[in-house]
Amino acid sequence: MTPLSIPDLPLGARVHDPFLVLEVDPRGGDNPFTVLILGNATGRIQTAPFWASDTPRIAGITRGKVVHVTGTIRPYREQRQVAVDSIRILPPGEVAWPGLMPSVGDVSRYWNDIDNWRSQLRSPRLGSTMALFYDDPEFRAHYQQCPASTSGHHAQLGGLLKHTWEVAQIALATARLFESADPDLTLAGALLHDIGKLDSYRWDGAFEPTVPGTVLGHVVLGSLLLDRRVRSERPMPCTEEELLLLQHLILSHHGKLEFGAPVPPLTLEAEILHYADNASAKVASMVSALQDSSNFLQDAPISTKGIWQLDRRRAWRGQSDWGRPGGNAG
Amino acid sequence: MTPLSIPDLPLGARVHDPFLVLEVDPRGGDNPFTVLILGNATGRIQTAPFWASDTPRIAGITRGKVVHVTGTIRPYREQRQVAVDSIRILPPGEVAWPGLMPSVGDVSRYWNDIDNWRSQLRSPRLGSTMALFYDDPEFRAHYQQCPASTSGHHAQLGGLLKHTWEVAQIALATARLFESADPDLTLAGALLHDIGKLDSYRWDGAFEPTVPGTVLGHVVLGSLLLDRRVRSERPMPCTEEELLLLQHLILSHHGKLEFGAPVPPLTLEAEILHYADNASAKVASMVSALQDSSNFLQDAPISTKGIWQLDRRRAWRGQSDWGRPGGNAG
Amino acid sequence: MTPLSIPDLPLGARVHDPFLVLEVDPRGGDNPFTVLILGNATGRIQTAPFWASDTPRIAGITRGKVVHVTGTIRPYREQRQVAVDSIRILPPGEVAWPGLMPSVGDVSRYWNDIDNWRSQLRSPRLGSTMALFYDDPEFRAHYQQCPASTSGHHAQLGGLLKHTWEVAQIALATARLFESADPDLTLAGALLHDIGKLDSYRWDGAFEPTVPGTVLGHVVLGSLLLDRRVRSERPMPCTEEELLLLQHLILSHHGKLEFGAPVPPLTLEAEILHYADNASAKVASMVSALQDSSNFLQDAPISTKGIWQLDRRRAWRGQSDWGRPGGNAG
Amino acid sequence: MTPLSIPDLPLGARVHDPFLVLEVDPRGGDNPFTVLILGNATGRIQTAPFWASDTPRIAGITRGKVVHVTGTIRPYREQRQVAVDSIRILPPGEVAWPGLMPSVGDVSRYWNDIDNWRSQLRSPRLGSTMALFYDDPEFRAHYQQCPASTSGHHAQLGGLLKHTWEVAQIALATARLFESADPDLTLAGALLHDIGKLDSYRWDGAFEPTVPGTVLGHVVLGSLLLDRRVRSERPMPCTEEELLLLQHLILSHHGKLEFGAPVPPLTLEAEILHYADNASAKVASMVSALQDSSNFLQDAPISTKGIWQLDRRRAWRGQSDWGRPGGNAG
Amino acid sequence: MTPLSIPDLPLGARVHDPFLVLEVDPRGGDNPFTVLILGNATGRIQTAPFWASDTPRIAGITRGKVVHVTGTIRPYREQRQVAVDSIRILPPGEVAWPGLMPSVGDVSRYWNDIDNWRSQLRSPRLGSTMALFYDDPEFRAHYQQCPASTSGHHAQLGGLLKHTWEVAQIALATARLFESADPDLTLAGALLHDIGKLDSYRWDGAFEPTVPGTVLGHVVLGSLLLDRRVRSERPMPCTEEELLLLQHLILSHHGKLEFGAPVPPLTLEAEILHYADNASAKVASMVSALQDSSNFLQDAPISTKGIWQLDRRRAWRGQSDWGRPGGNAG
Amino acid sequence: MTPLSIPDLPLGARVHDPFLVLEVDPRGGDNPFTVLILGNATGRIQTAPFWASDTPRIAGITRGKVVHVTGTIRPYREQRQVAVDSIRILPPGEVAWPGLMPSVGDVSRYWNDIDNWRSQLRSPRLGSTMALFYDDPEFRAHYQQCPASTSGHHAQLGGLLKHTWEVAQIALATARLFESADPDLTLAGALLHDIGKLDSYRWDGAFEPTVPGTVLGHVVLGSLLLDRRVRSERPMPCTEEELLLLQHLILSHHGKLEFGAPVPPLTLEAEILHYADNASAKVASMVSALQDSSNFLQDAPISTKGIWQLDRRRAWRGQSDWGRPGGNAG
């Protein structure tokens, strides 16, 4: 089912749709009220105030619940809000999640590429080790849904798969430039580096870190997952030294201790993986920052302030068509 | 002329060849002597001692001179040295530099790719601006010789061109993953980012920083070169705002102020360029560190100590053939 | 025309004056309203609320516009506000900017000193190079208006000129202590170090960074300005090596890479300039912080919290007259 | 067998004893020679030079070998050296390691305390989990030999056990001060925090890092060891959430990301453990630095320079008997 | 007098009690009002709004005053507030401070331990020097009231004494593990390290830093106090070198320059003291963070965000009873 | 007595003079020998080797002793050395220190200026407080000899006085630019900021840190000196709050905690003092670095490597006469 397109709702439009509750925001001074921030895969909108006397109408509504809302779009200080006529919590069984959360959309192109690259691996034991995960239907079902972060880069359903696909491509492009790099091992690193995120986030509602994700971290969780999975096979699909190479790729991919890598990259492929991971994550964050119109005052070319996801840098929407016929800038 | 292969010289071999003087090293305690470190494009070797009484034989020999040496290879503490029978300084006119300095070898493949990418630019004004440099024979003649550093990554004749080619490929591979990125501008950034190195290094003998390279830095020198070259055309091949986009790419490519970027990357293409530049430089440094046997004790898998070029990380020569038939590791 | 003295307005006073709109601040909960922050060269004051129903009265009023206001001063929580009877946007042609923005006041004393110092330069080529800027009426007209920052030190009309004058004096006082320092070159450094700010800020209304100021930075903009101006003369008024000395002064004046200097100071005069620039900027910030009563709770000697402009240090208004007859403290 | 006391050897003494080869040091200028640094549990001494002509006598002798030496103690520049009459490599089977390496000595007191503390655990599942390691004879045999570092704090045979004992005591003393701290869990953290060092160091000869110790690090190796050991039991001796608590203690004990902790301490017991670990390690380093007379010029109270193990701080041998009868200082 | 237990007040309860005014908080938009935050040793609660028309009722009420309040407990957004019928400022003479401020409670156990430890000192001159402070009734009266910080660790009446007692125990437990440590000097360091806090904080009302505490800092204030006190005795109770040892303990106890230690620890006892001080302060902060329910959303195990007192770490309320009969967790 | 000018000694010259022993350097391989580095106020030179057989001739000679040497200047690898015929230790009573150590020379100009500035103080209590030190003959006798560091900036006899004079001038020049700065207090800060160095260094022979200088630091030693001296007067020459202002100047003059300031500057005068102190110290270091020919290879404009005293920056000897008649550079 295609979700309602929130950014396209005109003033006066009627809504009669499910929304994910993104925030429950109590506000106001002497005359307190509550505003809900509602969203789906296409965007977000806030409700008109629920006054103290309306409290019973929103009883039990918390962040991460899905509600069915009937109401009207009204203007509010150069923005729009939805004046709610009726609102009720949808039972989990009735929720169609895919339309409600930000999503990368169709993931088949990512799977196609990844499976194709795997099929070209020239290293039998490496292929078998990857297959422990990437031929496992349950792994695939989870992996293609998991976000790559809760509020940073690729914070979307399927974001982890998309990020993996980007990292693999940048890493392979880099490995091909250096004769002594092993492209098969580089690909394996891309495929494994973030598997610990499967245990680190929940995406059944709002994206949230899990307890293990917070207290062990996705880097170590990935290492534990790999260790358990490889050792559960008899015989192991790879040797102990080969396992060490793979573990090192996972554990070093954050590049430096202060960024959460227990060890820095010490092999060529680990170094390549680290920069590819960084490039995917940081460039994706820049894409988001530039597309988020709330960072910019109307048509201003420079963002109004430093942006959190860019380590407090500003962003510049500078571009040109360079004289291209039908170019993308004037 | 193919230079003598220094790594292949057996004990007892006679040499009768030109060498670049890499170091003039006075040593010893009460009985002082001098050792020369000689090199060519294939490697380096030291001489037997020149005692105090031999001083006149090496008068005038300094770092960066080229000498013609006749002598014999002798053993010295598990290494080899050359016992010199005669040595004389070659006049500049007689020096065949290409065989004497570390070099990336044939550069035509890099030019072919770069010129091919340029021919596919869809942006007329961008193409014209690149052509100011890349169609200029004098620029090409210098650019294909210049090293990318004096003792770090790509410290070879042609290293700058090779590095440019690597950066362009990684950057283009990255840009293709993000719809909102402009691949033409990304390529332009790769082609321009290090042009200031032409004024920053000397490679007529040993690689040395120039005074402008030291006191202004290659980042700003590149910015000044671009400004002068573009403004010397009437009309300018691009607009002022377009020039700003290109200047920003040059000035921000080091990524952070503490790494020498006067401004951090604020556009998508600048962010992509920064990570591509980093990947090329850091991975090339790792390749060198792993190939330099002096970092490792015999067959030890881990380097004996932290390696300067890797920010004091150790390097691990871990690899495997993963069961490949005829694999690269046992 | 002398602007209205905002700090001296008594309760009940009538205003009938132009003001610069410093902020347009939408506030409130269920009953939203907008407050304008108005200012002129003497201070700032806020308006009474414009309720939703008043919205048409302030349509089109944005930060940086100048408005003519008729109204009355009223009390509001230990502060004053202006209850607006009528308000209208002044067309640019009717605006008398000097009275509306914070200003250093009469700049002639700064010009007198600077021109006097220039006249005493013993270095002909240095004098000619300075004259390219400092004898240019257009440069002078802009330079004496430009602020030295948008919201930090010397954020006033004429602030850049005043800062230059301070830096020159501290730098000359320092240079005179060290025989090997060249006072002429030191003065030149002071005069040139911040010329790039002319292209970095706008002061036609609120102080704002320009796009080039944000994406290239004032340090490099200064370097580009100098390069273009010197090279536009035939013959150049100084030699290439002399130009390098001047460029190095501009490029290194922030002292460290992490503070935005592409190169650190490597000459004696560059080192002197850096500390003089720092002293002027940081001491001016401390003066402002100590004079800003909003940093202190009534007569409290210590500021209520760390102050942004002082890198989060608190400020202490400790002083004494030390027994002076008619001293400045009890 | 009690090893020869190296510090007590008088000039002229004859030695006829086994030594561990600590360094093989080629030296000299034109007349090269080699010196061996020999050691045992009591100290270290160097040999007289082996000249080029003596080379065959020391063929095959490398760092970490054990040699039997016959010779005489001679003076050499205010130090002593051993002039070697005969030297031969001992086959591994003939080597009595305990006398040859620095050692904490008798470890039974540490075991007694640790086993006693374990017996007082009030938490059945915690006791069973500890017993997986601490009741395993093989674990005990290795644990009581392993050093706590290769050249830093507790770099001695048995150093890891001694460090564990110290950490446990400091941690328990701290936990007892805070009612909400769980002393049992604190003890468990002390016992488990460094188990990964068993796989990180070799102590069969010189202390050396292993490949896994270098490329995964002891923190993660400990986490993997615990995961495998606990999961190999059916049923597991503790719950999944309890395992998480233990893993968090191991993974966070370095306190900060930049010190190699993939996650910082987030529980009370993890915070306690981190400070106890730090106190044991840093105070032990200070003890060593103060006892190492090579850090001090004769009786100088302050070390001659910053000391590596103390993060480049100097050390001060200041003390007093404060008027105690028979005090330790005058 | 036992203070009213604020956390136990039911809805509808009547209060007729003294409270410390913790905050005077003006709020609201167009219809401004003021809320008071009131507290005593048991907790804090806010008042219902005082509207503009109520302003005279709260005239003169500022942070740190003590007021007598009559009113009723009412519900307010899942919290409680007190609707005030009457409020009046209590004159200082009528204030019973102990019941009004957070407090460690009965301090006699801390004094008992400390005095007992002092009685066991084997060092006469050290004992006499400690007695200058710890046998001085005025010192004791102040010391047992002073908080250890204004809003960080041990920010309670008596907090400094409790912190001292904790530091002494951790430091003594550590010193006992290292034969070369002097336990007497270690205890002295614990007793003296924070005496400068007596001059650094005020606790007659809200906890506030004094001017000397802000502009000299408690570390140096402690050093000055010790210097003056010791030198005021004729003869001095210890030697000059002994005084140096004590001063070094005070001045180095923050461990590193960036944490405010003018010198880092250079003796064994100073190193021990530093880690004990850190352990007490940081673990106490973790205890507070875990007990503060406002850090957690209902029963969530992980705090909702990074916590200021923990350097922005989150806190995890993970625990278990590990199978203990009647354990503290399910 | 004018000392022998070491830099001017020609080859073959005879010396018959006293020298300070700067280093006793044992060297060599199998044939060990010792070299002495000798110096006086004009420079330094090394001796020819003392072989093992010469040992009795240099018995008892250590760093900091003064020796009388008879010998001849000989060439040694492009340097000169003194071949010693006879050498004997001079008893302390015979040593004329002023000629033997680096010195700022005549200090009367510094005293004249400082005393003149003091005489113009408009603040009676400030003048009296300064006089406690600056009218004390013993203070003056020590202060005019003390170096400002042992091996950094102004490491010369009288260096502290010269540095004080520089700081005072830069600080006064800065204070005069800011109306709200108190020039009297600024001068007082300059005069007092480094008085603690009197207790921190020894200059009776080589410059060495004292134990108090190392374990308390000159910043706190200055604070203690001021406290004791002011409090020893009855009545105190200034008030307690005034003393606080002076203490704050001393304690904050290093500017930041990480540079050893227990508190950062919180007043205007403290901020001015900090930058003036920095300017004097850093510019003086740059002067030394540029004048030290050992930093440069012959006429090279850039130093051969990063220089320790400049925080590892290189130095550039770039200068020009800018067309001055009879200019200082070509």
Side-chain angles (χ1 to χ4, degrees), chain D residues 25-213:
Chain D
D25 197 1
R27 295 186 192 167
D30 49 299
N31 204 348
F33 61 95
T34 300
V35 158
L36 307 180
I37 313 290
L38 305 175
N40 68 16
T42 70
R44 53 172 55 201
I45 192 167
Q46 67 174 54
T47 66
F50 290 87
W51 304 105
S53 53
D54 295 325
T55 301
R57 295 174 63 197
I58 54 174
I61 293 179
T62 55
R63 183 166 186 248
K65 299 272 181 179
V66 175
V67 290
H68 194 279
V69 171
T70 303
T72 309
I73 303 303
R74 297 243 181 94
Y76 176 75
R77 279 190 195 164
E78 312 185 28
Q79 296 191 307
R80 296 162 306 144
Q81 62 181 26
V82 52
V84 175
D85 297 332
S86 74
I87 184 167
R88 69 182 167 88
I89 299 176
L90 285 177
E94 293 182 26
V95 174
W97 283 111
L100 289 172
M101 305 180 73
S103 164
V104 302
D106 180 17
V107 296
S108 57
R109 69 178 285 205
Y110 308 127
W111 281 129
N112 287 346
D113 283 345
I114 286 173
D115 292 335
N116 186 35
W117 297 326
R118 285 203 297 133
S119 74
Q120 294 168 23
L121 284 173
R122 296 171 49 252
S123 308
R125 292 200 293 270
L126 201 47
S128 306
T129 309
M130 293 306 101
L132 295 180
F133 297 94
Y134 280 82
D135 282 351
D136 173 356
E138 192 180 351
F139 173 86
R140 292 172 80 96
H142 283 83
Y143 204 81
Q144 70 184 14
Q145 289 203 321
C146 186
S149 72
T150 58
S151 61
H153 72 93
H154 301 90
Q156 302 161 292
L157 287 175
L160 180 56
L161 182 61
K162 187 180 184 208
H163 169 60
T164 302
W165 172 84
E166 289 170 9
V167 172
Q169 288 195 82
I170 302 172
L172 285 171
T174 308
R176 276 192 287 265
L177 300 173
F178 297 93
E179 214 177 325
S180 52
D182 180 343
D184 284 7
L185 183 54
T186 304
L187 175 65
L191 297 184
L192 292 177
H193 81 288
D194 265 353
I195 58 171
K197 287 185 174 171
L198 286 174
D199 288 352
S200 302
Y201 306 130
R202 294 191 314 103
W203 56 91
D204 55 338
F207 299 149
E208 299 282 359
T210 62
V211 171

Side-chain angles (χ1 to χ4, degrees), chain D residues 31 33 51 76-77 301-302 316, chain F residues 27-30 32-33 211 215:
Chain D
N31 204 348
F33 61 95
W51 304 105
Y76 176 75
R77 279 190 195 164
I302 307 280
W316 178 30
Chain F
R27 294 185 192 168
D30 49 299
F33 61 95
V211 171
V215 305

Side-chain angles (χ1 to χ4, degrees), chain E residues 2-10 15 17 19 40-44 80 99:
Chain E
T2 311
L4 178 74
S5 176
I6 293 178
D8 298 330
L9 283 172
V15 302
D17 295 85
F19 293 91
N40 68 15
T42 71
R44 52 172 55 202
R80 296 161 306 144

Side-chain angles (χ1 to χ4, degrees), chain B residues 28-29 31 33 49 51 76-77 301-302 314 316, chain D residues 26-33 209 211 214-215:
Chain B
N31 204 347
F33 60 95
W51 305 106
Y76 176 75
R77 279 189 194 165
I302 307 279
R314 291 176 185 244
W316 178 29
Chain D
R27 295 186 192 167
D30 49 299
N31 204 348
F33 61 95
V211 171
T214 305
V215 306

Side-chain angles (χ1 to χ4, degrees), chain A residues 62-77:
Chain A
T62 55
R63 183 166 188 247
K65 298 270 180 181
V66 176
V67 290
H68 193 278
V69 171
T70 302
T72 309
I73 304 302
R74 297 242 180 95
Y76 177 76
R77 277 188 195 165

